[in-house]
Amino acid sequence: MKKIISIIFLLFLFQNVNAQSKIIGTITNENNQPLIGTSIFVPALNIGVITDSRGKFIFDDLPNGKIKLKISYMGYNTKLLNLSLPLANNELNIKLSRAIIETEEVVVSGGYLSSQHENAVKIDVVKKEKITLSGTPNFMEAITSVSGVDMISKGQGVAKPVIRGLSMNDVLVLNNGVRVENYQYSENHPLGIDGSSVNQIEIIKGPASLLYGSDAIGGVINFIKENPAPKNKIVGKLGTQFHSNTLGIVSSLGIKGASKNLFGGINFSVKSNEDYLQGGGAFAPNTRFNEITFSASTGYMGKVGNFKLYYDFFKQKLGMLVPPVKKTINERGRENQIWFQDLAHHLLTFQSSIYLGDYKWNTTIALQQALRKLNTMPDITAIEMRLNTLTYETKFNYSSNKNLDYIVGLQGMLQNNRNMNNRANRILPDADINNIGFLGMIQYSLLKKLKLQGGIRYDISNTKTYALGLEGTENYHTPLDKNFTNFSASVGATYYPNHFLILRANLAKAFRTPNLSELTSNGVHGNRYEVGNVNLAPQNAFETDFSLHLHGALVSFDFALFYNQINDYIFLLPTEKTSSSGFNIYQFSQTNAALYGGETGFHIHPKSAKWLHFKTSYSMVVGKQTSGDFLPFIPAHKLKYEIMVKQKSFGFIDKPQIKLSAITTFKQSKPSPFETATDGYTIVNLGFVGNILFGNTITTLGISVNNLFDTQYYDHLSTLKNMGYYNSGRNISVSISIPLNLK
């Protein structure tokens, strides 16, 4: 029977791969002028071309069936075309309209390749340009421009995302669709993502366990890699940045190329930063950090689909501002000498997309290794651990007609943690973890005005640990063997009453399995002694959210409300006990809790002033236990506003932009029992970006001034607040990006 099924599948495959189509097209603007250099990309096949001097492009050897074309040109609205090949007429004539308000982006994190407006859950996008020109030594801060998204910081080297009040274990971070596993449990650990090879960041606000399993209970942040080079092109980029606050230097180089069927590329970057200066000028000792990152990619784009191989390496030495360094480090520096983390993360990813007419089969297999050392002195390593992880995912997507899509698949993870070289501190035991989940989704479009999405998922997880230490002593780890099962479900709708208005509603049930740290931690972690809890149950969230989006030619408006009920919410609770070494003991505990709030914002482009943009947004979230106490790490309410001036050209500068922005953070007067209230503040930022032509090379120049008035302030989510250190003061950033057209 298996042989018969295999033969039928191979015959079906052979039939599809030998049916080929060709597309010829022309891209113009509203005035029928050709748009030279427009990008036309087929995401499912991972191939792209650009238009020539006449605005023309050509694709050949495309498989028959349903495909999507993404058409994008800077300053114009991106189009996503749904085509069924072969076409009656293989020639496309496409007009792009100017994007006065931000263009709608194409996203992949919602399960389906679609535009932002087509998802029942809104997906926010931060483009590469905003990442590069965020004006901060930590590129992760770029995501905080999205309303409802904040970050927990420990100086400039560590930033953990917060989405609608949930953070760390409750927010899943993906590197090009692969979950990042690098001891991300704590606010002391960085994410380990290389920003130089990122094209855009996609952010799902709200439960996404249906698609991604445990840890996506609060949302997902997906760092999407750059597209391959256009066919028969070799291109590159050279970039550099300087930050005055940390005397930070960033250098990066990227080169990529593609033939008809093959593509590849490399990216390399180096960062070096001294201790940051607080508002007012005093330095924060041992907040220095140094990074080296390298990434490479290669792949084959053929008649069946595409096969891609990625390698990412992240190396960081990160200083830690802990009590012992306050008296030891008396002057600024950039070399890590005492109390620093020595981190290395390797990620090898294989991805394939096989296109079989109305069927698409996507597979991702990833191997990653995270090495973590804590050095209290240059030659003394107190902690050394290694985390090996294998993740796998396979999904079948079937479109039975233009209105109905199905996805079925499975995801899994095999993981082991090992303590290395018998170091003095071993806060986590050796462990083996095995997870697997089965999912099904359906999407149905009705009368072009209503789109319904829904699905269900079932997960099985096992965590097995081994005894560590001497039984009867304070830091003994009891062996553990625990099984967890859970299910996730979601149902949502997107309704288009007219061309300008979009209404969304979504109901979701999500879960998160207790992680290794929460179950078994037993030892000093930063400034505290953490104790795990083997009796923890999985968190279960039930969220309802509603959003409205109004999009006109000169104005856009967004409004969203959410209510997230979390049963068995896991958090770290201080006790009245102290360890034998004098550290306060914190233990993981559970309670029922609720988080609720919303975001609203609008963007105006006055008709009488085509060069002027005004944008503002307001976000709020309240996190509360059923006991009446408030949850920890809940951001204060924030008001963000900006004025931007854009011109086609100014003198020798092409497409200059000047932006004056500010963030008003209100007083956080509802802290958790072991936090203190935090006063409000306003921070003003100023930025400029423009293109300068040198010969045939267009160089992008960016200048940013963050915290223009060098304000002294504490952010409620800064873990250095309790030690009396303000957030970063004024920072002047200069960035230069030079494209390299090698062939």
Side-chain angles (χ1 to χ4, degrees):
M1 185 66 183
K2 289 183 179 179
K3 290 182 179 180
I4 294 174
I5 294 173
S6 299
I7 291 170
I8 293 173
F9 177 77
L10 289 173
L11 288 174
F12 179 72
L13 176 64
F14 181 79
Q15 176 184 351
N16 279 275
V17 301
N18 282 276
Q20 303 299 313
S21 290
K22 181 178 181 179
I23 297 177
I24 299 172
T26 304
I27 312 296
T28 60
N29 61 16
E30 304 99 319
N31 300 320
N32 293 318
Q33 297 171 325
L35 292 177
I36 304 168
T38 301
S39 170
I40 304 94
F41 189 65
V42 185
L45 299 177
N46 208 49
I47 57 175
V49 296
I50 59 174
T51 55
D52 60 18
S53 59
R54 298 173 296 167
K56 291 186 176 296
F57 70 92
I58 183 171
F59 276 111
D60 51 15
D61 293 334
L62 291 176
N64 285 343
K66 294 182 179 180
I67 67 166
K68 295 188 179 185
L69 289 185
K70 176 187 174 184
I71 303 164
S72 55
Y73 187 80
M74 184 174 291
Y76 286 75
N77 289 305
T78 298
K79 274 195 174 184
L80 186 65
L81 297 183
N82 297 300
L83 304 177
S84 292
L85 302 181
L87 299 174
N89 181 1
N90 286 337
E91 187 163 351
L92 300 174
N93 294 302
I94 302 163
K95 291 184 185 294
L96 296 184
S97 58
R98 285 196 175 273
I100 299 174
I101 303 294
E102 287 119 329
T103 181
E104 178 187 7
E105 297 296 340
V106 176
V107 294
V108 299
S109 300
Y112 302 91
L113 176 68
S114 63
S115 68
Q116 286 176 279
H117 293 171
E118 292 178 322
N119 283 278
V121 177
K122 187 174 184 293
I123 301 177
D124 290 280
V125 174
V126 179
K127 297 293 290 181
K128 183 176 182 64
E129 294 77 13
K130 186 172 285 189
I131 300 170
T132 303
L133 301 173
S134 59
T136 170
N138 191 331
F139 87 98
M140 276 294 300
E141 284 193 34
I143 67 171
T144 62
S145 63
V146 175
S147 185
V149 179
D150 296 271
M151 71 174 191
I152 298 171
S153 66
K154 193 178 186 70
Q156 293 292 324
V158 180
K160 304 304 287 281
V162 180
I163 300 179
R164 290 178 169 177
L166 291 175
S167 56
M168 287 176 288
N169 307 299
D170 295 324
V171 173
L172 181 63
V173 175
L174 306 175
N175 185 345
N176 212 40
V178 176
R179 61 185 298 134
V180 176
E181 292 289 330
N182 64 349
Y183 297 111
Q184 69 273 29
Y185 312 133
S186 167
E187 72 274 14
N188 295 319
H189 303 161
L191 294 180
I193 301 289
D194 173 20
S196 66
S197 60
V198 171
N199 182 57
Q200 68 183 36
I201 305 172
E202 298 179 4
I203 302 169
I204 300 176
K205 290 185 286 191
S209 291
L210 172 64
L211 278 172
Y212 298 106
S214 183
D215 293 5
I217 193 170
V220 172
I221 298 180
N222 193 1
F223 294 86
I224 308 296
K225 288 187 177 294
E226 294 178 333
N227 295 332
K231 281 188 175 183
N232 301 315
K233 296 279 186 180
I234 299 176
V235 297
K237 59 180 179 179
L238 181 64
T240 186
Q241 286 183 315
F242 173 77
H243 299 281
S244 66
N245 185 280
T246 61
L247 298 180
I249 301 171
V250 182
S251 299
S252 63
L253 173 66
I255 298 173
K256 59 184 179 180
S259 63
K260 180 179 179 180
N261 295 113
L262 301 175
F263 70 90
I266 58 171
N267 279 278
F268 178 77
S269 69
V270 179
K271 295 182 183 179
S272 180
N273 292 269
E274 292 194 1
D275 306 318
Y276 81 84
L277 297 177
Q278 307 170 67
F283 78 97
N286 210 36
T287 55
R288 61 197 70 176
F289 65 99
N290 297 277
E291 293 178 11
I292 297 176
T293 62
F294 173 79
S295 62
S297 63
T298 187
Y300 173 81
M301 306 168 291
K303 297 178 181 180
V304 179
N306 63 76
F307 305 88
K308 299 172 284 187
L309 188 66
Y310 298 100
Y311 171 69
D312 294 272
F313 173 70
F314 179 87
K315 175 74 171 176
Q316 185 184 60
K317 290 188 176 182
L318 173 68
M320 299 183 67
L321 206 176
V322 292
V325 307
K326 295 176 69 172
K327 296 180 179 180
T328 307
I329 297 179
N330 300 312
E331 58 183 32
R332 295 180 75 192
R334 67 177 71 239
E335 183 180 354
N336 299 101
Q337 296 178 330
I338 64 171
W339 280 95
F340 66 92
Q341 297 184 61
D342 188 354
L343 309 170
H345 186 237
H346 303 264
L347 173 60
L348 182 66
T349 305
F350 169 79
Q351 294 179 331
S352 68
S353 294
I354 299 177
Y355 219 74
L356 306 169
D358 293 337
Y359 295 85
K360 186 170 68 172
W361 179 20
N362 293 328
T363 299
T364 298
I365 300 173
L367 286 167
Q368 52 190 308
Q369 183 182 82
L371 300 170
R372 178 176 180 254
K373 293 181 182 180
L374 173 62
N375 290 43
T376 53
M377 298 295 288
D379 54 349
I380 299 178
T381 300
I383 296 175
E384 184 175 1
M385 296 189 295
R386 183 193 67 208
L387 187 68
N388 290 330
T389 306
L390 167 67
T391 56
Y392 55 92
E393 171 185 277
T394 187
K395 294 179 182 176
F396 283 91
N397 185 314
Y398 172 58
S399 300
S400 61
N401 57 56
K402 65 179 181 180
N403 295 325
L404 193 59
D405 289 282
Y406 305 90
I407 293 178
V408 294
L410 65 88
Q411 294 173 326
M413 179 179 76
L414 296 170
Q415 189 173 72
N416 67 71
N417 178 68
R418 295 294 183 266
N419 290 279
M420 308 296 293
N421 297 320
N422 198 30
R423 301 301 184 183
N425 294 333
R426 293 177 288 176
I427 62 173
L428 299 179
D430 293 350
D432 296 316
I433 299 169
N434 185 5
N435 299 330
I436 189 168
F438 307 89
L439 66 98
M441 293 180 63
I442 187 171
Q443 178 174 269
Y444 180 68
S445 299
L446 182 64
L447 302 175
K448 295 185 178 181
K449 285 194 172 184
L450 179 65
K451 181 166 287 188
L452 304 175
Q453 293 179 348
I456 193 166
R457 176 190 179 110
Y458 184 74
D459 281 82
I460 305 169
S461 176
N462 173 260
T463 300
K464 183 178 182 180
T465 70
Y466 305 94
L468 179 65
L470 296 176
E471 191 170 0
T473 60
E474 181 183 54
N475 60 355
Y476 176 69
H477 292 75
T478 304
L480 172 72
D481 192 345
K482 295 208 71 170
N483 294 309
F484 301 98
T485 60
N486 220 307
F487 79 95
S488 306
S490 177
V491 59
T494 305
Y495 179 58
Y496 310 83
N498 53 54
H499 180 67
F500 305 103
L501 182 62
I502 302 172
L503 302 174
R504 293 187 183 90
N506 194 65
L507 301 173
K509 189 271 180 186
F511 78 100
R512 181 173 74 79
T513 300
N515 62 42
L516 182 63
S517 177
E518 293 164 338
L519 290 169
T520 66
S521 181
N522 191 6
V524 177
H525 200 155
N527 299 327
R528 59 181 180 255
Y529 193 100
E530 291 185 6
V531 177
N533 185 345
V534 297
N535 298 313
L536 294 176
Q539 292 184 169
N540 284 283
F542 304 85
E543 179 168 306
T544 302
D545 60 73
F546 169 82
S547 66
L548 175 153
H549 176 75
L550 179 67
H551 197 102
L554 301 174
V555 63
S556 68
F557 173 75
D558 285 278
F559 177 77
L561 293 173
F562 68 92
Y563 185 91
N564 193 358
Q565 174 68 42
I566 303 181
N567 296 335
D568 295 317
Y569 175 84
I570 301 172
F571 66 107
L572 198 57
L573 182 69
T575 69
E576 296 180 354
K577 301 177 182 178
T578 57
S579 68
S580 59
S581 51
F583 288 91
N584 293 328
I585 294 178
Y586 287 65
Q587 184 166 30
F588 286 99
S589 184
Q590 289 188 294
T591 185
N592 293 338
L595 294 102
Y596 52 90
E599 305 96 31
T600 187
F602 61 87
H603 183 175
I604 296 176
H605 176 78
K607 187 175 182 180
S608 58
K610 295 182 179 180
W611 43 269
L612 183 64
H613 293 251
F614 177 75
K615 183 194 291 187
T616 186
S617 66
Y618 176 77
S619 61
M620 63 161 289
V621 58
V622 176
K624 206 170 185 180
Q625 304 176 37
T626 52
S627 65
D629 290 335
F630 293 98
L631 295 176
F633 290 124
I634 300 297
H637 302 179
K638 288 187 177 180
L639 179 64
K640 303 175 184 178
Y641 35 99
E642 68 178 46
I643 297 175
M644 179 181 290
V645 175
K646 290 184 177 181
Q647 292 282 7
K648 290 184 179 180
S649 63
F650 185 80
F652 61 91
I653 303 175
D654 183 46
K655 296 175 183 168
Q657 300 177 26
I658 298 177
K659 181 174 72 175
L660 179 66
S661 63
I663 301 175
T664 295
T665 301
F666 297 90
K667 182 177 181 178
Q668 177 52 288
S669 56
K670 299 176 179 179
S672 73
F674 57 94
E675 294 178 328
T676 58
T678 307
D679 291 334
Y681 57 87
T682 295
I683 300 298
V684 179
N685 304 318
L686 181 65
F688 161 84
V689 62
N691 298 325
I692 303 173
L693 183 63
F694 292 103
N696 295 322
T697 301
I698 299 176
T699 298
T700 301
L701 172 66
I703 302 174
S704 302
V705 185
N706 288 2
N707 194 355
L708 181 63
F709 300 111
D710 202 29
T711 303
Q712 283 188 338
Y713 72 99
Y714 296 115
D715 188 277
H716 187 70
L717 302 184
S718 171
T719 61
L720 300 182
K721 170 193 166 188
N722 292 336
M723 297 181 66
Y725 291 97
Y726 295 108
N727 283 71
S728 179
R730 182 188 299 113
N731 179 54
I732 301 172
S733 173
V734 179
S735 64
I736 299 172
S737 180
I738 305 172
L740 306 173
N741 295 310
L742 304 177
K743 180 181 178 182

